[in-house]
Amino acid sequence: MPATIKDVARVAGVSVATVSRVLNGFSNVLPATRRHVEEAARQLGFAPSAAARSLITRRTDTIGALLPDLHGEYFSELIRGMDQAARSHGLHLLVSSAHGHAQQAAAAFGAMRGRVDGVLVMSPQVSEGGSVVDALGSMACGLPTVLVNTPDASRRLPSFVVDNLGGARAMVEHLLATGRQHLVFVGGPRHNHEATERRRGCLEALAAAGAPKPWELEGDFTEAAGQAAGRRIAERLRAARPKLPRPQAVFAANDMTAVGVLAALTAAGLRVPEDIALGGFDDVPIARYLSPALTTIRVPIVELGTAATHALVQRIENGPQQEAASPPGAFTPSVLPVELLHRRSTALPAG
Amino acid sequence: MPATIKDVARVAGVSVATVSRVLNGFSNVLPATRRHVEEAARQLGFAPSAAARSLITRRTDTIGALLPDLHGEYFSELIRGMDQAARSHGLHLLVSSAHGHAQQAAAAFGAMRGRVDGVLVMSPQVSEGGSVVDALGSMACGLPTVLVNTPDASRRLPSFVVDNLGGARAMVEHLLATGRQHLVFVGGPRHNHEATERRRGCLEALAAAGAPKPWELEGDFTEAAGQAAGRRIAERLRAARPKLPRPQAVFAANDMTAVGVLAALTAAGLRVPEDIALGGFDDVPIARYLSPALTTIRVPIVELGTAATHALVQRIENGPQQEAASPPGAFTPSVLPVELLHRRSTALPAG
DNA sequence: CTGAAAGCGCTTACAG
DNA sequence: CTGAAAGCGCTTACAG
């Protein structure tokens, strides 16, 4: 039903080749001819068929984004960054979310083949079968791919990550600097790469400072898990058990966990930071509005999205030969720096 | 470079027609033949070309989402709802954000033509040129379109909206019921349809109850605007001017505005809800974590996304004839109900 | 500067 | 049950 290039050619009284040249901005067309064609196209409301075009050009002008089942601000900021960068290159963005497991992500990757010129993959989970890169297997070869906050031991693919390790270290160093030695670490999901890195940073920083090992509690990046942890912490703080060291600060693996911890501590009648300090990770918007405002690690989410997208575009433009030729170890992940935001939840007690 | 249907046919020793039948699950293929083809396809890592396929089927199996430059949770929840619904129909989702103005949205709409089977349009702004529906003009005809929280006086397109009017009324009735008569309304962006509806609901509910008109302050849905409004309110509360009625409650057009109002009031030494009550709109996650927790109107964002998407899919499946035949007035918007969440920011003073 | 023609990778009547 | 062939709407050498 919609007009085709043939219709335009007929109305303009030229060949389809000429119409194509005009539409693609070639210079070797007489001004008068060009005008006729443009007039005919407008008159017919002509829109070129993307399918026909990409069949022959072998480009879809679209990039895909494979995302986990993210919650909240983090997700939207990331998409905004990706969309912004894609748009600046004249590309469209095809998103596919809710890929908790590496296998799901790999399946979605397969479904995108042929619809996109390249794919951004974010899949921080490491399941029994390994990371998403393992699940992808040979699929990724041929289709330009860039990883975002995704573990890849093989380093076969370009990768952008946030400095989870450095951020966790910075937080611990800050807590130590304020005189808190006895820490509680509330972790993230067991198989989540980011959670693992944050934990590692915490342990390393404590060890480097000669501070005692933290008391570790389990979590899963949710507020509910934080509340459960907070209740246990409150219990221990109140039970005056001289044998056990009194926790002086809580480092939650992400802000939502910290939100839960704070709620539980407050409900138990404890004061932050006077009775115990609290730090988070991510700097979600809620962080500054908590009482007390939450000390946390700001993560450059939009930048993460734009940087990965620009890298993907470059890879696409370098052509397919580059794809095949990436042996294991070919890429070193680009690490985006994070920033410690010092707020009241870790302030020194006035006394 | 990637394998084509011809390669599969050659390896399997059959014709491309047979390969096509197998791949599309037709039943009229001998089991043995089917096996050969499947084996060949797997062996070659064959993935059908979406472009070639959609060129002939005239379907892209993709729907587009045109979104404004949204911030935060709202955006991600909406996308999650859309993606979820699209996936359930086996469709992909192409997103395009950052369309503040109706004209930008219309341009993006044009860029999507030919790449999608239908479009979800969210563009609450009404600029000089009218709403996005006006800017779309005849573009929408032919391409199935469903509006989301987007004004459309002509009612030429199916539309899903949140009950902004009813939500605003409910909030005002609640404030009146707690004995607060003198309200301040902090508005949203001047040309935003949702903001306009919320204001209208506020005014109507006050008028219906015989309450005085509110003191109106300008805003733009941002925290900064809320802070500015909050400072003016604090000023008036402190200047004991017997002529002017003392404001008893603030109704902010959205939660982020309320966040700013609260910050300014608190900074001025005023207590919420004791000195003045405060209500918002949206129920962003921050709302429950404020001190005091914010009374607000919960908006069913995920549902909005899924409902609109299902409607779009149905429209796509009904075929193109339906599109052309929609005269002005053909559609009544579907209004999704909202819910008043009663929290401490509007509680009655203990006394 | 312009046109006729081949071809991109599929699907789908039409025969057999 | 299977194949040969046309055709979807474009782009792009190749002539002229």
Side-chain angles (χ1 to χ4, degrees):
Chain A
M1 210 57 202
T4 73
I5 196 173
K6 270 189 188 165
D7 300 320
V8 178
R10 188 171 26 76
V11 170
V14 298
S15 72
V16 295
T18 299
V19 176
S20 176
R21 288 190 192 103
V22 171
L23 266 35
N24 290 295
F26 284 43
S27 57
N28 52 349
V29 182
L30 279 183
T33 311
R34 177 180 301 279
R35 244 179 298 116
H36 291 151
V37 171
E38 282 166 349
E39 171 55 25
R42 180 175 28 253
Q43 181 187 323
L44 292 168
F46 173 71
S49 154
R53 200 155 194 292
S54 76
L55 181 57
I56 192 134
T57 61
R58 288 156 177 296
R59 297 231 5 190
T60 61
D61 295 323
T62 302
I63 62 178
L66 249 47
L67 303 166
D69 188 17
L70 273 176
H71 296 283
E73 203 83 4
Y74 198 95
F75 188 39
S76 58
E77 293 287 295
L78 191 68
I79 291 190
R80 169 181 301 124
M82 291 173 172
D83 181 56
Q84 191 177 299
R87 176 189 319 279
S88 79
H89 290 281
L91 299 173
H92 291 259
L93 186 68
L94 194 67
V95 306
S96 183
S97 66
H99 306 298
H101 298 289
Q103 286 78 358
Q104 294 175 322
F109 187 99
M112 278 195 173
R113 290 177 67 183
R115 325 189 146 264
V116 297
D117 297 331
V119 184
L120 297 163
V121 174
M122 174 159 181
S123 180
Q125 289 296 122
V126 180
S127 41
E128 323 76 55
S131 80
V132 71
V133 177
D134 303 307
L136 247 39
S138 62
M139 261 198 281
C141 88
L143 185 56
T145 303
V146 169
L147 303 176
V148 182
N149 270 359
T150 296
D152 173 26
S154 75
R155 302 195 160 192
R156 214 187 326 241
L157 294 169
S159 174
F160 287 79
V161 298
V162 148
D163 188 9
N164 289 302
L165 194 67
R169 282 200 193 113
M171 175 62 76
V172 169
E173 282 159 12
H174 163 64
L175 292 172
L176 292 172
T178 62
R180 283 115 174 171
Q181 291 267 329
H182 295 285
L183 263 54
V184 187
F185 180 74
V186 186
R190 211 187 300 269
H191 299 293
N192 184 291
H193 185 246
E194 300 202 76
T196 307
E197 289 291 290
R198 292 173 188 182
R199 172 172 180 269
R200 192 156 68 91
C202 173
L203 299 182
E204 288 184 5
L206 287 173
K213 289 191 176 169
W215 176 26
E216 292 197 49
L217 292 173
E218 297 204 339
D220 60 5
F221 278 171
T222 68
E223 184 194 349
Q227 286 203 343
R231 279 190 293 268
R232 294 194 54 190
I233 296 165
E235 226 169 80
R236 179 170 298 189
L237 278 176
R238 300 218 285 200
R241 301 252 296 281
K243 286 293 171 56
L244 291 170
R246 188 184 164 84
Q248 297 169 302
V250 182
F251 178 14
N254 78 345
D255 284 350
M256 287 318 292
T257 302
V259 164
V261 169
L262 179 61
L265 291 176
T266 305
L270 293 161
R271 292 161 308 160
V272 174
E274 292 81 1
D275 296 319
I276 187 165
L278 175 63
F281 208 113
D282 280 347
D283 192 34
V284 300
I286 294 171
R288 9 190 307 249
Y289 298 112
L290 296 173
S291 301
L294 183 68
T295 294
T296 187
I297 303 291
R298 195 186 81 81
V299 166
I301 309 177
V302 173
E303 271 176 74
L304 186 66
T306 56
T309 304
H310 285 307
L312 179 62
V313 169
Q314 197 174 341
R315 209 163 154 76
I316 291 171
E317 283 170 358
N318 283 348
Q321 71 289 355
Q322 182 187 337
E323 291 308 312
S326 301
F331 295 97
T332 305
S334 302
V335 179
L336 300 197
V338 298
E339 184 189 358
L340 174 68
L341 297 181
H342 190 160
R343 300 204 182 103
R344 206 168 72 77
S345 72
T346 60
L348 281 174
Chain B
M1 211 57 204
T4 74
I5 196 172
K6 269 188 188 164
D7 300 319
V8 178
R10 187 170 27 73
V11 171
V14 299
S15 72
V16 295
T18 298
V19 175
S20 176
R21 288 188 193 105
V22 171
L23 266 35
N24 289 295
F26 284 43
S27 56
N28 52 348
V29 182
L30 279 182
T33 311
R34 178 179 303 277
R35 243 179 298 115
H36 290 153
V37 171
E38 283 166 348
E39 172 55 25
R42 180 177 28 253
Q43 182 187 323
L44 293 168
F46 173 71
S49 154
R53 201 156 192 292
S54 77
L55 180 56
I56 191 136
T57 62
R58 290 157 175 295
R59 298 231 4 191
T60 61
D61 294 323
T62 303
I63 62 179
L66 251 48
L67 302 167
D69 190 15
L70 273 175
H71 295 285
E73 204 82 5
Y74 198 95
F75 188 39
S76 58
E77 294 287 295
L78 192 68
I79 292 191
R80 170 180 301 124
M82 292 173 171
D83 180 55
Q84 191 176 299
R87 176 188 319 277
S88 80
H89 290 281
L91 300 173
H92 292 258
L93 186 67
L94 194 68
V95 305
S96 182
S97 66
H99 306 298
H101 298 289
Q103 286 78 358
Q104 294 174 321
F109 187 98
M112 278 197 174
R113 289 177 67 182
R115 325 190 144 263
V116 297
D117 296 331
V119 185
L120 297 163
V121 175
M122 175 158 180
S123 181
Q125 290 295 122
V126 180
S127 41
E128 323 76 56
S131 79
V132 70
V133 178
D134 303 308
L136 247 37
S138 62
M139 259 199 281
C141 90
L143 185 56
T145 304
V146 169
L147 303 176
V148 182
N149 271 358
T150 297
D152 172 26
S154 75
R155 302 196 160 193
R156 214 185 327 239
L157 294 169
S159 173
F160 287 79
V161 299
V162 147
D163 188 10
N164 289 302
L165 194 66
R169 281 201 194 114
M171 176 62 77
V172 168
E173 282 158 14
H174 163 64
L175 292 171
L176 292 172
T178 62
R180 282 114 173 171
Q181 290 266 328
H182 296 285
L183 264 54
V184 188
F185 180 74
V186 186
R190 210 187 301 270
H191 299 293
N192 185 291
H193 184 245
E194 299 203 77
T196 308
E197 289 290 290
R198 292 173 188 183
R199 173 172 179 269
R200 192 155 69 89
C202 173
L203 298 183
E204 287 184 4
L206 287 173
K213 289 190 177 172
W215 176 27
E216 292 197 51
L217 292 174
E218 296 203 342
D220 59 5
F221 279 171
T222 67
E223 184 193 348
Q227 286 202 342
R231 278 191 293 268
R232 294 196 53 191
I233 296 166
E235 227 169 77
R236 180 168 299 189
L237 279 175
R238 300 218 285 201
R241 302 252 297 279
K243 285 293 171 53
L244 289 171
R246 186 182 165 85
Q248 297 168 301
V250 182
F251 179 14
N254 79 344
D255 284 350
M256 287 318 292
T257 302
V259 164
V261 169
L262 178 61
L265 291 176
T266 304
L270 292 161
R271 293 161 308 160
V272 175
E274 293 80 359
D275 296 320
I276 188 166
L278 175 62
F281 207 113
D282 281 347
D283 192 35
V284 300
I286 294 170
R288 9 188 307 249
Y289 298 112
L290 296 174
S291 301
L294 184 68
T295 293
T296 187
I297 304 289
R298 195 186 81 83
V299 166
I301 310 175
V302 173
E303 272 177 74
L304 186 66
T306 56
T309 304
H310 285 306
L312 178 62
V313 169
Q314 196 174 342
R315 210 165 153 73
I316 290 169
E317 284 170 358
N318 283 348
Q321 70 290 355
Q322 181 188 336
E323 291 307 313
S326 300
F331 296 97
T332 304
S334 302
V335 180
L336 299 198
V338 298
E339 183 188 358
L340 174 67
L341 296 181
H342 191 162
R343 299 203 183 103
R344 207 169 72 77
S345 71
T346 60
L348 281 173

